């Protein structure tokens, strides 16, 4: 038995002052203020720090400054994010990988999941490859003209029928067969890297899409810039089309400078959708330069952004503990709401909330301890402290 005592325990609906979390093996046994500890219980004094659910990041490509992507070294990527508080992870594979290589990568990562070597990784997910080739960094590289039935069938089978999340651009699925496939196979489906019209997004949602991949980022307007001539501003963007669909959960990348999502749009989404429909993500990838080499006014100096060799914004080098603080800074979100968006809501979005994502008896003891400034002090994964 383990117990964390003298904690501000962040529950889904309140903060429990001077709380105790009792851990039995891998699971949370009890949460309260008046828990009798069994003899021999190992006690950790939280000294008034916050104890909340371990982070759930449903969009990770790599390990940032450690320069590893999922195909390079899956165990290193998972461990890197676990050390930063992320106890449930999506091994997200990107859209610019050639067909046979993408299938081989999927099989390799899935085999490690099957063997238990990636315990914090709940599955393989796909960001594409059926994206709009005009939307995203290196989007033209190995671009598909549309969904390839042979490819997506093999990818699905490589995951043994369990794809953690699958994103596509609705306008690329011209005959609707891929959307039908995802619906018929009960796959958690997202829309993104798109310039779909509101009607096209609505049609994808009607087929079962439940997530908007990194809202505002890599999203365009189905009418191009035509609406500027008509009204003075771009209207009917893909982000607009997503925001009017209440079935969607919105991924937000909260980098420190508000580049992926402007703070006003971040706050708009939070106010409009609420914490039960916003999922904080990192979109963490790898970086091939040192931000310290650039002056403050240069975009490359940002400590948590990544720009590719063409100067395109290409994901981040965020970790979830930093993303947590950034979101609070940009939006003024409460500690309860921010833990919901960093753990509970994303867990529900990808259907793992029965086992993780909140500090509730019976769920895994996946926990983070954060100080009053929300700096990460300790992570527990399945009841064990992470070094």
């Amino acid at each position: 038995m383990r117990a964390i005592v003298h904690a501000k325990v962040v529950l889904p609906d309140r903060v429990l002052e001077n709380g105790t979390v009792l851990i039995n093996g891998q699971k949370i046994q009890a949460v309260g203020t008046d828990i009798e500890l069994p003899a021999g219980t190992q006690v950790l004094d939280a000294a008034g720090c916050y104890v909340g659910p371990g982070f759930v990041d449903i969009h990770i490509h790599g390990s940032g400054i450690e320069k590893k992507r999922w195909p390079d070294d899956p165990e290193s990527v998972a461990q890197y994010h676990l050390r930063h508080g992320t106890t449930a992870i999506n091994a997200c594979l990107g859209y610019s990988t050639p067909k046979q290589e993408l299938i081989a990568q999927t099989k390799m990562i899935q085999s490690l999941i099957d063997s238990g070597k990636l315990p914090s990784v709940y599955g393989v997910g796909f960001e594409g490859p059926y994206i709009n080739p005009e939307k995203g960094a290196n989007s033209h590289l190995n671009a598909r003209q549309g969904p390839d039935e042979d490819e997506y069938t093999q990818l699905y089978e490589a995951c043994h029928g369990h794809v953690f999340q699958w994103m596509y651009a609705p306008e690329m699925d011209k005959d609707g067969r891929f959307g039908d496939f995802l619906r018929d196979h009960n796959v958690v489906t997202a829309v993104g890297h798109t310039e779909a019209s509101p009607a096209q997004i609505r049609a994808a949602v009607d087929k079962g899409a439940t997530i908007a991949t990194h809202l505002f980022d890599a999203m365009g307007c189905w009418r191009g810039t035509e609406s500027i001539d008509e009204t003075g501003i771009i209207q009917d963007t893909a982000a607009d089309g997503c925001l009017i669909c209440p079935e969607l959960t919105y991924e937000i990348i909260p980098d420190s400078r508000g580049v992926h999502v402007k703070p006003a749009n971040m706050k708009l989404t939070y106010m409009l959708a609420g914490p039960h429909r916003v999922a904080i993500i990192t979109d963490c990838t790898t970086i091939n330069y040192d931000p310290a080499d650039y002056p403050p006014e240069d975009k490359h100096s940002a400590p948590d952004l990544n720009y590719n060799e063409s100067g395109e914004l290409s994901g981040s080098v965020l970790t979830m503990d930093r993303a947590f603080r950034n979101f609070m800074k940009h939006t003024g979100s409460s500690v309860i709401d921010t833990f919901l968006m960093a753990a509970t809501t994303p867990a529900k979005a990808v259907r793992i909330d029965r086992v993780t994502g909140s500090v509730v008896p019976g769920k895994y003891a996946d926990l983070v301890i954060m100080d009053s400034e929300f700096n990460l002090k300790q992570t527990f994964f399945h009841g064990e402290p992470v070094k």
Side-chain angles (χ1 to χ4, degrees):
M1 290 279 197
R2 296 180 186 272
I4 304 173
V5 301
H6 302 144
K8 295 177 181 175
V9 184
V10 185
L11 303 176
D13 59 351
R14 67 191 189 281
V15 175
L16 188 66
E17 298 286 345
N18 197 28
T20 295
V21 180
L22 181 63
I23 301 168
N24 187 357
Q26 295 187 340
K27 302 289 184 69
I28 298 170
Q29 178 163 310
V31 181
T33 56
D34 189 21
I35 297 174
E36 184 175 345
L37 302 183
T41 299
Q42 298 180 44
V43 177
L44 172 64
D45 190 340
C49 287
Y50 291 101
V51 173
F55 305 131
V56 177
D57 193 343
I58 59 177
H59 198 130
I60 290 176
H61 294 285
S63 60
I65 59 175
E66 290 196 350
K67 304 183 188 302
K68 297 288 180 67
R69 287 177 171 264
W70 289 114
D72 304 326
D73 188 344
E75 293 177 78
S76 291
V77 176
Q79 283 295 320
Y80 173 79
H81 288 284
L82 186 60
R83 292 196 300 273
H84 287 275
T86 302
T87 54
I89 297 174
N90 170 24
C92 188
L93 298 179
Y95 47 78
S96 58
T97 305
K99 174 178 176 178
Q100 293 305 321
E101 188 177 344
L102 181 60
I103 293 169
Q105 290 176 1
T106 303
K107 290 179 177 178
M108 181 269 291
I109 297 169
Q110 186 63 52
S111 70
L112 292 174
I113 295 171
D114 295 341
S115 67
K117 293 181 179 179
L118 299 174
S120 63
V121 178
Y122 278 73
V124 178
F126 302 108
E127 186 179 13
Y130 314 121
I131 68 165
N132 187 310
E134 300 301 322
K135 298 300 168 188
N138 286 327
S139 55
H140 286 275
L141 186 62
N142 296 307
R144 278 67 161 175
Q145 297 305 305
D148 173 352
E149 184 174 4
D150 179 68
E151 179 179 37
Y152 66 69
T153 300
Q154 288 194 63
L155 290 172
Y156 178 79
E157 291 173 348
C159 297
H160 315 315
H162 171 66
V163 178
F164 197 66
Q165 180 194 155
W166 206 326
M167 184 223 76
Y168 74 109
E171 70 272 28
M172 301 303 292
D173 186 26
K174 292 181 171 53
D175 61 9
R177 293 177 62 184
F178 183 56
D180 291 341
F181 175 89
L182 298 175
R183 177 199 60 208
D184 295 345
H185 290 81
N186 198 31
V187 174
V188 174
T189 302
V191 294
H193 285 268
T194 179
E195 56 183 19
S197 69
Q200 288 171 320
I201 292 172
R202 180 71 256 172
V205 171
D206 288 342
K207 285 193 177 187
T210 55
I211 296 172
T213 294
H214 45 53
L215 190 71
F216 293 105
D217 187 43
M219 288 186 166
C221 179
W222 66 287
R223 296 191 296 173
T225 58
E226 198 173 303
S227 59
I228 294 180
D229 299 328
E230 297 177 10
T231 66
I233 60 172
I234 292 178
Q235 298 194 34
D236 294 340
T237 67
D240 296 331
C242 289
L243 283 168
I244 60 174
C245 293
E247 299 91 338
L248 292 176
T249 295
Y250 306 113
E251 292 183 351
I252 293 287
I253 308 170
D255 61 76
S256 59
R257 296 188 180 179
V259 175
H260 284 92
V261 185
K262 300 301 180 187
N265 285 334
M266 208 179 298
K267 193 165 187 175
L268 170 68
T269 306
Y270 170 49
M271 292 174 66
L272 176 68
H276 296 283
R277 288 177 50 220
V278 174
I280 296 172
I281 63 167
T282 63
D283 194 20
C284 187
T285 180
T286 59
I287 192 169
N288 61 5
Y289 60 89
D290 186 348
D293 292 339
Y294 295 86
E297 64 273 12
D298 192 296
K299 63 185 181 181
H300 291 83
S301 69
D304 52 12
L305 294 177
N306 179 56
Y307 292 90
N308 66 16
E309 63 282 352
S310 301
E312 299 171 306
L313 181 65
S314 185
S316 84
V317 287
L318 279 167
T319 52
M320 278 292 282
D321 53 337
R322 173 174 278 179
F324 185 104
R325 294 193 299 273
N326 288 345
F327 195 95
M328 295 186 84
K329 178 186 75 173
H330 290 314
T331 68
S333 58
S334 69
V335 61
I336 296 171
D337 283 359
T338 312
F339 269 110
L340 285 170
M341 293 181 284
T344 314
T345 298
K348 185 176 181 180
V350 293
R351 305 172 187 165
I352 59 173
D353 54 310
R354 291 185 300 104
V355 296
T356 193
S358 54
V359 186
V360 174
K363 293 190 179 185
Y364 283 123
D366 296 339
L367 306 164
V368 292
I369 302 177
M370 305 182 87
D371 66 18
S372 60
E373 300 299 318
F374 300 101
N375 298 300
L376 183 67
K377 308 300 290 184
Q378 179 67 64
T379 302
F380 281 82
F381 175 67
H382 287 17
E384 293 292 327
V386 176
K387 295 182 180 179

